[in-house]
Amino acid sequence: MNMTLILLAAGDSLRFNGNKLLYEMNGKPMYRCIIEEIDQLPGGLFTRKLIVTQYDEIMDYMKDSGYKIIVNKDSKLGISHSIHLALKELENEDTDFLFAVCDQPYLHSSTIESLVRGFKGSKKGLACLSCEGELGNPALFSSRYRKELMELKGDKGGKRIIRAHMSDVFLLEAADPAELQDIDIRPR
């Protein structure tokens, strides 16, 4: 089965008081942390890679990266709009989807790979990272959940679908809780 990686990088960072994706962490903009981890993954894990963003800086950086850039001009419509834009790009493809966010700078490539391999081996339709019962990103959806993803509204993401189908979920416990941490508030 094909697997498409979809990076979500279009949020407005309202609680951060500035564009958190461009905030410098470890000498680089935050969004590059996950990209560098993905670059360490074995070839062939993903058949396609997409990034959904509204930011020119990210588009410029990603233009020669092998990712298909999807422009989100209506980020105020919430994360569901980014999900819909990515799925519309893939509407004629039989593929599963891994959604990852670009504000999780402590996520490791080995964890992403374990999540994908565990999902494939589990024969389940959904997967996500978890830590002590808390569901987190990245999240995987088999193609049979495309319709439910397209029905999402506003700033509600795929966790709603995962919670509704827990018997069909492969959970990977994160080795380090920091891997699930997304940065919503500017560090002091």
Side-chain angles (χ1 to χ4, degrees):
M1 174 54 78
N2 294 325
M3 173 77 60
T4 300
L5 168 72
I6 301 167
L7 288 181
L8 301 173
D12 291 329
S13 307
L14 298 175
R15 291 175 285 174
F16 194 80
N17 191 25
N19 185 344
K20 66 182 171 182
L21 299 177
L22 300 180
Y23 181 79
E24 193 165 303
M25 296 195 72
N26 301 322
K28 61 188 160 250
M30 186 187 313
Y31 77 92
R32 288 191 198 170
C33 295
I34 191 164
I35 291 166
E36 289 178 5
E37 290 297 318
I38 290 166
D39 287 346
Q40 295 177 37
L41 292 169
L45 201 59
F46 300 109
T47 49
R48 284 191 75 189
K49 296 177 187 174
L50 282 64
I51 185 164
V52 183
T53 189
Q54 65 171 317
Y55 299 109
D56 291 335
E57 297 92 332
I58 295 176
M59 286 184 244
D60 288 344
Y61 182 80
M62 299 300 291
K63 69 179 179 237
D64 297 321
S65 66
Y67 284 72
K68 168 74 177 181
I69 298 169
I70 309 295
V71 180
N72 181 345
K73 294 182 181 181
D74 291 310
S75 61
K76 66 185 175 300
L77 298 176
I79 196 168
S80 66
H81 185 61
S82 288
I83 292 168
H84 297 161
L85 289 171
L87 294 178
K88 285 176 186 169
E89 172 67 26
L90 300 165
E91 67 187 345
N92 296 318
E93 295 181 36
D94 185 18
T95 183
D96 295 336
F97 318 100
L98 181 141
F99 290 94
V101 292
C102 290
D103 63 352
Q104 247 179 297
Y106 308 115
L107 184 63
H108 299 291
S109 60
S110 58
T111 303
I112 298 168
E113 183 176 4
S114 294
L115 181 65
V116 172
R117 295 200 189 286
F119 169 76
K120 288 179 177 180
S122 74
K123 306 298 185 208
K124 303 263 184 180
L126 301 161
C128 70
L129 281 186
S130 66
C131 186
E132 299 173 5
E134 182 179 335
L135 303 179
N137 289 310
L140 281 151
F141 298 82
S142 75
S143 59
R144 69 178 177 260
Y145 286 98
R146 181 190 297 259
K147 183 177 183 291
E148 286 184 58
L149 287 164
M150 289 301 291
E151 292 170 352
L152 293 171
K153 303 269 187 250
D155 210 25
K156 299 294 180 192
K159 281 187 195 159
R160 169 180 285 172
I161 296 167
I162 290 170
R163 286 188 185 104
H165 301 282
M166 287 303 293
S167 64
D168 196 27
V169 178
F170 168 75
L171 291 175
L172 178 67
E173 187 74 10
D176 181 354
E179 288 195 85
L180 267 71
Q181 181 182 359
D182 60 357
I183 309 296
D184 287 329
I185 299 171
R186 186 181 294 269
R188 295 180 184 221

